[in-house]
Amino acid sequence: MSRRGSFALCFLLLGACQRTTPPSASAGPDAASPAAVAPTAALAAPVPEPLPPCRPRGSSPLDAALDYLDEGRFPEALSCAAQASALEPDSAAAHAARGEALAALQRTAEAQVAYARALAIDPGHPEGLLGAAHLYAVQLPSSREYDELGALYAERGLSQPEVSPELMPRFALVAAMALNDLGQAAEALQRASLVLAREPKNAEAAYEKALALFELCRFAEAKAAFSGLVSDPERGAHAHYHLGLLLEREGKWKQARGHLEKARFLSPEDFPVPPTPSEEEFRNEVALAVAALPEDMREDLTGVPVRAEELPADEDLLSGEPPLSPSILGLFRGPPLGEPCDGSETPCRSVALYRLNLARAVRTREELREQIKVTLLHEVGHLRGEDDQELAARGLE
């Protein structure tokens, strides 16, 4: 499920493109022949159309590029930015403008290089930082690595003393989005609140704030925040979806179903019908997953019940600081193996897998079985003493 809405910057959504790799000089005597390399090069990546000549209209190439960007004329902007960076290869502003134009033209890989070059020249260049932050945190497909880069660039931008006041909310908004995706909801809430203090009607910041409140288990505040977004044309589906989740936690299943169905109607791609098994079917799937574990893991689970549950309970979510996300797929309760139990519960260790959250994390029953397996391995990792960072590094995030 994608939660990334439109973002009111001058940067557009990016696609992907491949970098053309030149033939190796050691490939043999035929490597220099155009006939020999043309088929391979054609298969490797499409050759971009040649840029039109820069028409600066009485300005410098860089100023012309910035004007063309403001006008939404991205091929012309790229042409002038390319000329500006050729004339002044040490100009961070020229490379940042080139990155923005490339991003708008969906030439993502080249945009990454352009921004990298701008920031290699001037690590504190505001437009370069903002463009790079937006590229990694918003435009590229979400991943931990991209979100971490986006957050780093945005936070660096916020720390620059020379950043203009109008750029501060933009940096804060990108930071909020990246931090929410990284599960750092408290920090995301701070950044979204900074935006709203300056731009009270910023719907994207209002959504990030609502999401952070939900992740922090501040459910009453989250419910009020999402209720204010149900009429928003771009975020209404996500608002209905989260209201449905919140009402489920209150046991108001009929009302919850109404909001979830509304979310599906407004955005069927983001909110497809989940492959939800019955409670009995889910218990059977969990039992099969446990039986399929390696022998050493099954031995570690001796005396540790693996329970099929509906949703995480409030007391589990609020048992530590910061709280756990209401959307967690599973939970290990108790101390790791080798550490003493405190004697307050019997058994003192257990694993829970959550039927509704798991079903909503996938699109098919086959994916559900695989996600049950991965979640179970994650919780066994906690049983063995691994933390979330170690598990993420092993692909068990």
Side-chain angles (χ1 to χ4, degrees):
M1 179 186 69
S2 170
R3 68 161 196 85
R4 295 177 181 224
S6 64
F7 181 49
L9 283 175
C10 51
F11 308 94
L12 300 185
L13 293 178
L14 296 180
C17 84
Q18 291 184 327
R19 182 178 181 180
T20 303
T21 303
S24 170
S26 61
D30 292 334
S33 166
V37 301
T40 302
L43 289 173
V47 178
E49 290 290 327
L51 292 173
C54 173
R55 302 185 184 280
R57 302 182 295 189
S59 301
S60 69
L62 177 56
D63 287 341
L66 298 175
D67 289 340
Y68 281 129
L69 286 170
D70 289 341
E71 296 168 13
R73 297 172 62 179
F74 302 116
E76 294 91 340
L78 179 56
S79 177
C80 289
Q83 182 173 339
S85 60
L87 293 171
E88 297 183 67
D90 291 333
S91 169
H95 292 293
R98 185 167 171 268
E100 183 178 342
L102 287 164
L105 293 169
Q106 302 189 16
R107 293 167 61 171
T108 311
E110 294 168 275
Q112 289 175 278
V113 174
Y115 283 130
R117 190 164 180 179
L119 295 174
I121 294 168
D122 181 0
H125 188 264
E127 286 75 16
L129 286 169
L130 183 58
H134 188 261
L135 179 67
Y136 285 104
V138 181
Q139 296 169 316
L140 289 169
S142 182
S143 72
R144 173 166 290 276
E145 290 79 8
Y146 285 166
D147 289 327
E148 287 174 343
L149 277 171
L152 285 169
Y153 285 133
E155 291 295 315
R156 186 188 297 174
L158 286 170
S159 70
Q160 299 302 307
E162 67 273 16
V163 172
S164 61
E166 61 267 19
L167 289 185
M168 295 297 285
R170 295 185 179 185
F171 277 118
L173 181 51
V174 177
M177 298 174 79
L179 291 166
N180 262 331
D181 281 352
L182 290 167
Q184 299 177 33
E187 295 84 350
L189 179 60
Q190 293 175 349
R191 295 308 181 215
S193 298
L194 188 157
V195 179
L196 292 168
R198 299 182 180 223
E199 300 176 2
K201 296 183 179 181
N202 190 311
E204 190 68 53
Y207 173 76
E208 296 301 326
K209 178 180 179 179
L211 185 63
L213 290 168
F214 175 79
E215 293 294 319
L216 290 168
C217 302
R218 293 165 59 173
F219 296 131
E221 295 171 85
K223 188 175 182 180
F226 281 120
S227 295
L229 291 167
V230 292
S231 298
D232 186 277
E234 296 178 2
R235 301 160 193 88
H238 291 268
H240 279 291
Y241 177 77
H242 282 89
L243 286 171
L245 301 185
L246 288 162
L247 287 163
E248 280 185 345
R249 300 195 62 80
E250 298 175 13
K252 299 176 180 177
W253 298 98
K254 184 176 180 180
Q255 294 180 46
R257 185 167 60 252
H259 281 286
L260 295 172
E261 290 175 352
K262 183 67 172 179
R264 190 169 302 121
F265 172 78
L266 292 172
S267 185
E269 179 62 26
D270 282 338
F271 305 106
V273 177
T276 309
S278 68
E279 293 182 35
E280 181 179 358
E281 290 172 331
F282 184 64
R283 285 194 296 270
N284 290 337
E285 293 287 359
V286 171
L288 289 171
V290 173
L293 288 173
E295 183 179 356
D296 61 320
M297 290 188 178
R298 295 198 308 273
E299 289 179 358
D300 285 345
L301 282 171
T302 301
V304 180
V306 179
R307 296 166 176 157
E309 301 184 13
E310 293 293 278
L311 291 168
D314 284 0
E315 54 265 31
D316 283 330
L317 297 179
L318 299 171
S319 61
E321 186 61 39
L324 297 174
S325 167
S327 300
I328 56 172
L329 306 181
L331 178 67
F332 168 67
R333 305 183 182 104
L337 292 173
E339 294 186 12
C341 296
D342 60 12
S344 61
E345 291 187 30
T346 304
C348 75
R349 300 179 180 90
S350 64
V351 171
L353 300 183
Y354 299 112
R355 182 175 73 102
L356 296 181
N357 285 353
L358 277 160
R360 290 177 182 137
V362 298
R363 292 182 178 247
T364 67
R365 288 296 286 267
E366 291 73 21
E367 291 178 358
L368 175 62
R369 293 186 186 97
E370 182 62 25
Q371 189 60 64
I372 290 172
K373 172 186 173 182
V374 170
T375 304
L376 181 58
L377 290 172
H378 180 103
E379 303 312 331
V380 171
H382 283 313
L383 170 68
R384 291 176 160 185
E386 292 182 87
D387 62 23
D388 285 327
Q389 288 71 31
E390 291 172 305
L391 292 167
R394 293 206 292 119
L396 294 174
E397 191 169 7

